[in-house]
Amino acid sequence: MPIGKNCQIHPTALIGADVSIGTSVTIGPNAVLTGPLEIGDDCWIGAGVVLGAPPEILGALHPISWSVSAGLGIRIGARTTIRELSTVHQGSERRTEIGDECFLMNRVGIEHDVQVGNRCVVSSGTTLAGHVSVGDGVNLGMHTVAHQRRVIGSGSMIGMGTVVVKDVPPFSKAFGNPVSLQGVNRIGMSRSGISEEDISAVAAIYAAGTFEGLSTIPASLQEAFTWWRERADKPLVS
């Protein structure tokens, strides 16, 4: 159980076997950490957080000892904050991952095999079901619920209370039950330094409701769209 320098770990926290903790990590009261689990440098783990519980799959192994690993692992990136009472489950088919510089608010549920990119905000009460993929720089509003295996593209903004049953494209605004595309995330794109010309090009695509191949996507944004298209099988735009 390697623990880096300058960590502040509350004495009531439970840390099981096969847990690796980076430098300058803070872990709050009554947190439960079980492996395989890797936590990057400068993370902040709040009170009552549970990292490493077995996948919530009927018939999955539930060990009788905290010293036994129970899944394919979890990786928490550097400088990520996970607030109180949030839960991240072990992977069953791939490692569960939360990227660098993410901010997870209180009572967030990250189920097995979920992969969240870098610099994402996951607001209070949000639940991501198994195998969900979230790109970089995504903002998930309070009480977002994502169905299993859905894909949320980079730079998108999901409104509070949204039920994500289709794959949300990059740099979009989307909300509703069920989720509905509401155009381009113009403010988020502008804050990320994306040019007005490129923002307008994506806005035109979403207004049309269809792609005419990746050649219509601005060159600077093609990587994000390629990532999404490779994973999406129920896209909001086709």
Side-chain angles (χ1 to χ4, degrees):
M1 185 180 66
I3 299 177
K5 296 180 179 179
N6 302 319
C7 290
Q8 300 292 326
I9 301 175
H10 195 274
T12 62
L14 188 155
I15 301 177
D18 202 12
V19 175
S20 174
I21 301 172
T23 61
S24 302
V25 173
T26 297
I27 299 174
N30 299 310
V32 178
L33 283 60
T34 53
L37 170 63
E38 175 187 339
I39 300 176
D41 297 341
D42 301 300
C43 288
W44 194 95
I45 310 299
V49 167
V50 178
L51 304 178
E56 284 192 323
I57 300 173
L58 189 64
L61 173 66
H62 285 69
I64 61 174
S65 169
W66 293 108
S67 64
V68 176
S69 300
L72 296 184
I74 296 171
R75 175 189 173 273
I76 308 296
R79 300 174 299 282
T80 282
T81 295
I82 303 180
R83 291 293 303 267
E84 58 274 11
L85 304 178
S86 291
T87 301
V88 182
H89 290 163
Q90 292 283 342
S92 67
E93 297 178 2
R94 63 183 185 181
R95 185 169 65 170
T96 303
E97 296 187 358
I98 298 171
D100 298 342
E101 300 177 5
C102 290
F103 186 71
L104 276 64
M105 299 184 191
N106 65 87
R107 299 171 293 109
V108 164
I110 305 293
E111 296 286 342
H112 60 87
D113 304 280
V114 168
Q115 294 188 343
V116 177
N118 300 321
R119 305 179 309 281
C120 292
V121 175
V122 185
S123 298
S124 304
T126 291
T127 300
L128 303 181
H131 307 276
V132 167
S133 297
V134 179
D136 295 338
V138 171
N139 193 321
L140 301 176
M142 292 177 63
H143 300 288
T144 295
V145 178
H147 191 276
Q148 290 93 335
R149 301 185 186 276
R150 296 286 57 85
V151 182
I152 301 174
S154 298
S156 56
M157 172 71 190
I158 310 299
M160 64 176 63
T162 295
V163 179
V164 180
V165 293
K166 289 192 175 183
D167 300 320
V168 178
F171 309 110
S172 63
K173 289 189 301 183
F175 54 83
N177 180 7
V179 64
S180 177
L181 181 64
Q182 303 292 329
V184 72
N185 182 14
R186 185 174 296 274
I187 293 176
M189 295 178 78
S190 179
R191 288 175 176 172
S192 298
I194 297 172
S195 70
E196 183 59 36
E197 180 181 5
D198 288 354
I199 294 171
S200 296
V202 177
I205 290 169
Y206 292 161
T210 185
F211 293 101
E212 295 180 2
L214 287 173
S215 61
T216 62
I217 304 298
S220 64
L221 306 180
Q222 286 205 7
E223 182 177 352
F225 278 89
T226 299
W227 181 92
W228 182 72
R229 291 292 294 272
E230 288 175 347
R231 292 161 175 78
D233 64 359
K234 292 185 178 180
L236 273 174
V237 292
S238 58

